[in-house]
């Protein structure tokens, strides 16, 4: 009887502790004794109640955190969609810019070709002007030589006229 009076409340306390350890926080203990076993069982019941309260609180916080995460994910999805739209718009603008650059490239090529032709034409004009300058210098030298020859002929004609003046005809 002594063993039974110790063994039964001890077994009951172990069962309560095992159920709490397994996650069953709804365990209710019927207290029939006011001795140490009764205190132990009351303590186990209070522990189950407090754990139940803590678990409920954690569940509420987890639910609130899950709602907040859902809201943040929704906002992120909206931002990603908005960013995708901006990327699409940017792509369209970039295509327009590339198209504009291509349209400008052809006239610039024509301008470059025309500038090259003008440069070549100016080079030819410079050569012609240089040739004209050389010819002008040569002509000026010939004119000086002709003037010198004419002076020499004049002087010779004067001498000849002096020499011939001695003769009367």
């Amino acid at each position: 009887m002594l063993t039974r009076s110790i063994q039964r409340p001890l077994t009951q306390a172990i069962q309560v502790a095992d159920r709490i350890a397994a996650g069953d926080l709804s365990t209710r203990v019927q207290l029939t004794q006011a001795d140490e076993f009764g205190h132990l069982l009351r303590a186990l019941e209070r522990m189950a109640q407090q754990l139940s309260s803590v678990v409920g609180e954690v569940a509420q916080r987890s639910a609130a955190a899950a709602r907040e995460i859902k809201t943040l994910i929704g906002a992120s999805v909206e931002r990603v969609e908005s960013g995708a739209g901006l990327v699409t718009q940017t792509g369209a603008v970039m295509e327009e810019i590339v198209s504009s650059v291509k349209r400008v490239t052809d006239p610039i090529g024509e301008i470059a070709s025309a500038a090259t032709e003008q440069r070549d034409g100016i080079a030819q004009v410079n050569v012609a002007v240089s040739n004209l300058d050389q010819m002008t210098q040569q002509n000026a030298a010939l004119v000086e030589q002709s003037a010198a020859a004419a002076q020499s002929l004049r002087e010779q004609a004067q001498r000849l006229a002096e020499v011939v003046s001695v003769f009367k005809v």
Side-chain angles (χ1 to χ4, degrees):
M1 181 146 171
L2 181 60
T3 306
R4 219 184 265 168
S5 67
I6 294 174
Q7 190 175 17
R8 185 188 259 166
L10 193 54
T11 302
Q12 187 181 6
I14 291 171
Q15 289 172 350
V16 169
D18 283 342
R19 280 184 273 175
I20 291 171
D24 182 7
L25 301 178
S26 64
T27 302
R28 296 288 175 242
V29 179
Q30 289 190 3
L31 302 173
T32 57
Q33 299 176 359
D35 59 2
E36 287 79 18
F37 289 114
H39 291 298
L40 175 62
L41 289 172
R42 271 193 289 280
L44 286 171
E45 186 176 25
R46 279 194 313 271
M47 181 178 76
Q49 289 171 354
Q50 287 179 348
L51 282 174
S52 180
S53 173
V54 168
V55 167
E57 203 174 293
V58 168
Q60 287 176 355
R61 287 182 184 171
S62 294
R67 285 190 298 273
E68 186 175 340
I69 288 170
K70 180 181 176 184
T71 302
L72 291 172
I73 288 172
S76 295
V77 167
E78 288 177 13
R79 287 182 182 155
V80 167
E81 288 174 354
S82 174
L86 290 174
V87 167
T88 301
Q89 288 176 349
T90 302
V93 170
M94 292 300 284
E95 287 177 7
E96 288 179 28
I97 290 171
V98 168
S99 176
S100 296
V101 167
K102 286 180 181 177
R103 284 192 305 261
V104 170
T105 300
D106 292 338
I108 288 176
E110 292 172 9
I111 290 170
S113 177
T116 300
E117 290 176 13
Q118 286 179 351
R119 183 197 67 215
D120 293 345
I122 289 171
Q124 290 174 352
V125 168
N126 282 339
V127 168
V129 168
S130 178
N131 288 340
L132 283 174
D133 186 43
Q134 283 179 337
M135 293 172 129
T136 301
Q137 288 178 5
Q138 288 174 354
N139 285 344
L142 289 174
V143 167
E144 285 180 18
Q145 289 175 357
S146 296
Q151 181 66 27
S152 174
L153 281 175
R154 196 175 332 168
E155 289 172 2
Q156 287 177 2
Q158 276 180 350
R159 270 188 264 141
L160 187 58
E162 287 175 9
V163 171
V164 171
S165 69
V166 179
F167 299 106
K168 287 199 178 185
V169 185

